[in-house]
């Protein structure tokens, strides 16, 4: 069986380092591993409209921003199809068929949907489109017969596997049950905001963006939330819940200590010193800044190049979208045949030669 990746992001803003450690970094690794036969990376504009339907301009303008972030982070159009969700009508069609397979109660119980609804406090009740977005997400994944879906923790648990099982049991083996791939370390799973709040979010102003310049990143790092009880350098400090250390957990790689802080062998040694007392926040922040700049500089530089070639980037999206639609069309032919709604292809039904 082919190994196929499908994943994506809502285009409601530029991507930040939470997206990077939560999913983007992993996608690039998987892409470059050569282990996958097909890769589809989706800019989920239709899903973004489910809670931004009054702000189409915001969604429209962020498509190119997300595309620039993808390309700068290392997604390579020669290996990955970057595409725009709304341009693939098969996804909407499949969503409609899946709606028969999911109960209202099942959606209401879904913890991701619950959390997302709470987050948004819709004034006039919950729009049906938003309520059903997990169904459309199942369509996104299965239309490509994806085997692997690398996402951040907030995308779990969804209902695609249930839908696949139900569809196959009613209509016959047609769809592929995907594997959800979460980040492998806790810190990357849910990177907090620079203020220590649970989530990076544009409205809280606590994000470090992939497109931030060097000085902006440095300032954000130097003003990050640490341990409020760690007042003097000599005080013992807490590492748990200390945002600077959480970021280090998510970002530090072999070689970073050699390059930037050779007095310590590894992160455990640094943490021990901080816990004992005698290690100041500024020193740890400077180290984090060096690590982040090292990861972000190549991304930033590639972004500058792509920003000069916007028509080329739209061309990449157009080509990716064409490839994605061709793939989804094949699946939908199979789905319609399984569901017995392929009337005009059925010679027996029509009775003509
Ligand atoms: N929900 C994702 C986000 O908020 C975007 C998305 C839409 C997605 N459909 C998907 C992710 C299918 C993975 C698989 O960014």
């Amino acid at each position: 069986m082919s190994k196929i990746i499908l994943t994506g992001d809502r285009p409601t803003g530029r991507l930040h380092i939470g997206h990077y450690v939560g999913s983007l970094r992993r996608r690039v690794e998987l892409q470059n591993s050569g282990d996958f036969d097909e890769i589809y990376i989706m800019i989920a504009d239709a899903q973004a409209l489910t809670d931004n339907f009054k702000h189409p301009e915001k969604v429209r303008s962020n498509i190119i921003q997300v595309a620039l972030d993808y390309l700068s982070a290392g997604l390579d159009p020669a290996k990955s199809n970057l595409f725009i969700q709304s341009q693939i009508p098969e996804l909407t069609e499949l969503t409609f068929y899946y709606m028969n397979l999911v109960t209202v109660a099942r959606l209401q119980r879904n913890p991701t949907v619950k959390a997302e609804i709470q987050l948004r406090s819709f004034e006039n009740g919950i729009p049906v489109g938003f309520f059903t977005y997990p169904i459309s997400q199942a369509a996104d994944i299965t239309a490509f017969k994806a085997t692997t879906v690398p996402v951040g923790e907030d995308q779990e648990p969804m209902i695609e596997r249930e839908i696949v099982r139900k569809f196959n049991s009613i209509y016959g083996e047609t769809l592929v049950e995907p594997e959800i791939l979460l980040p492998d370390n806790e810190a990357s799973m849910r990177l907090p905001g620079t203020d220590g709040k649970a989530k990076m979010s544009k409205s809280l102003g606590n994000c470090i963006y992939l497109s931030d310049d060097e000085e902006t990143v440095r300032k954000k790092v130097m003003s990050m939330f640490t341990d409020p009880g760690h007042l003097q350098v000599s005080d013992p400090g807490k590492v748990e819940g200390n945002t600077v250390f959480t970021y280090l957990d998510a970002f530090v790689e072999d070689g970073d200590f050699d390059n930037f802080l050779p007095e310590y062998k590894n992160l455990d040694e640094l943490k021990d010193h901080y816990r004992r007392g005698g290690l100041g926040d500024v020193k740890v922040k400077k180290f984090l800044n060096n690590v982040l700049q090292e990861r972000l500089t190549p991304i930033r530089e590639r972004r500058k190049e792509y920003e000069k070639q916007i028509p080329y980037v739209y061309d990449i999206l157009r080509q990716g979208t064409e490839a994605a639609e061709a793939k989804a069309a094949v699946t939908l032919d199979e789905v319609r045949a399984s569901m017995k709604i392929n009337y005009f292809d059925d010679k027996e039904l029509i009775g003509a030669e």
Side-chain angles (χ1 to χ4, degrees):
M1 192 174 68
S2 302
K3 291 179 75 180
I4 300 174
I5 292 177
L6 177 289
T7 185
D9 301 275
R10 299 179 195 189
T12 53
R14 295 173 177 224
L15 300 183
H16 52 61
I17 62 173
H19 293 112
Y20 182 71
V21 294
S23 169
L24 200 46
R25 176 171 69 183
R26 173 62 86 63
R27 289 179 207 171
V28 175
E29 277 166 24
L30 295 175
Q31 168 195 273
N32 295 336
S33 72
D35 288 345
F36 289 84
D37 302 292
E38 296 164 43
I39 303 176
Y40 299 93
I41 310 288
M42 178 178 73
I43 302 182
D45 62 334
Q47 191 182 100
L49 285 166
T50 63
D51 62 332
N52 290 281
F53 54 90
K54 288 186 187 154
H55 309 288
E57 191 51 48
K58 170 175 158 189
V59 173
R60 183 184 178 87
S61 62
N62 277 306
I63 287 179
I64 190 74
Q65 295 304 331
V66 171
L68 288 167
D69 285 329
Y70 282 168
L71 294 166
S72 344
L75 289 174
D76 172 357
K79 298 177 183 151
S80 298
N81 297 298
L82 311 183
F83 73 97
I84 306 178
Q85 183 184 31
S86 63
Q87 304 306 297
I88 310 212
E90 285 84 353
L91 298 178
T92 326
E93 183 182 350
L94 192 55
T95 302
F96 193 68
Y97 302 144
Y98 285 174
M99 286 189 178
N100 301 329
L101 308 179
V102 182
T103 63
V104 171
R106 181 67 195 91
L107 280 179
Q108 274 165 337
R109 272 202 317 275
N110 185 284
T112 310
V113 179
K114 269 194 196 163
E116 297 264 346
I117 285 173
Q118 247 177 9
L119 212 68
R120 284 173 177 80
S121 56
F122 292 107
E123 285 159 30
N124 303 311
I126 304 156
V128 174
F130 185 83
F131 183 61
T132 57
Y133 92 78
I135 303 178
S136 107
Q137 187 143 320
D140 299 334
I141 294 168
T142 53
F144 298 93
K145 300 231 166 115
T147 51
T148 310
V149 185
V151 286
E153 188 201 34
D154 57 344
Q155 300 304 315
E156 266 263 279
M158 284 288 181
I159 53 172
E160 50 277 339
R161 293 163 69 94
E162 284 167 50
I163 291 179
V164 168
R165 274 182 234 139
K166 195 146 185 195
F167 188 101
N168 288 346
S169 80
I170 298 173
Y171 302 114
E173 263 331 286
T174 313
L175 303 169
V176 176
E177 225 180 286
E179 211 68 65
I180 306 299
L181 203 59
L182 293 174
D184 41 23
N185 91 35
E186 181 93 12
S188 303
M189 201 89 93
R190 59 189 101 88
L191 200 73
T194 51
D195 56 358
K197 293 229 172 72
K199 227 179 144 167
M200 273 201 180
S201 106
K202 193 165 56 182
S203 51
L204 294 173
N206 60 3
C207 305
I208 295 177
Y209 293 98
L210 292 178
S211 47
D212 278 344
D213 63 32
E214 185 174 349
E215 183 52 19
T216 306
V217 173
R218 196 190 64 79
K219 279 200 191 123
K220 288 180 179 175
V221 170
M222 296 316 286
S223 62
M224 261 168 83
F225 178 82
T226 58
D227 167 13
H230 186 247
L231 297 174
Q232 294 182 8
V233 173
S234 56
D235 291 340
K238 269 211 219 81
V239 165
E240 287 70 31
N242 183 324
T243 313
V244 177
F245 280 97
T246 311
Y247 280 33
L248 287 173
D249 279 329
F251 277 96
V252 161
E253 288 177 8
D254 293 344
D256 286 335
F257 279 92
D258 280 352
N259 287 339
F260 304 120
L261 203 59
E263 309 110 273
Y264 300 87
K265 270 212 294 294
N266 52 39
L267 197 49
D268 286 334
E269 264 191 17
L270 189 75
K271 286 180 180 176
D272 283 343
H273 192 184
Y274 193 83
R275 288 195 184 99
R276 274 201 313 277
L279 175 57
D281 282 346
V282 170
K283 185 160 177 177
V284 188
K285 285 177 171 175
K286 280 189 172 153
F287 175 53
L288 174 61
N289 180 54
N290 284 328
V291 171
L292 281 182
Q293 300 291 358
E294 163 132 325
R295 295 302 106 81
L296 297 179
T297 301
I299 297 179
R300 197 183 289 135
E301 280 171 4
R302 272 196 295 266
R303 200 181 215 277
K304 278 199 200 113
E305 288 311 305
Y306 282 114
E307 279 170 352
K308 293 185 210 145
Q309 313 169 62
I310 298 298
Y312 171 61
V313 176
Y314 275 110
D315 218 48
I316 290 171
L317 292 177
R318 187 205 315 270
Q319 286 181 29
T321 302
E322 279 166 14
E325 188 182 9
K327 174 76 178 186
V330 173
T331 307
L332 261 288
D333 278 341
E334 294 169 13
V335 162
R336 289 187 216 102
S338 298
M339 292 180 70
K340 308 272 178 231
I341 55 174
N342 59 336
Y343 314 108
F344 302 130
D345 298 338
D346 188 344
K347 291 209 177 74
E348 218 174 296
L349 174 76
I350 296 170
E353 277 313 299

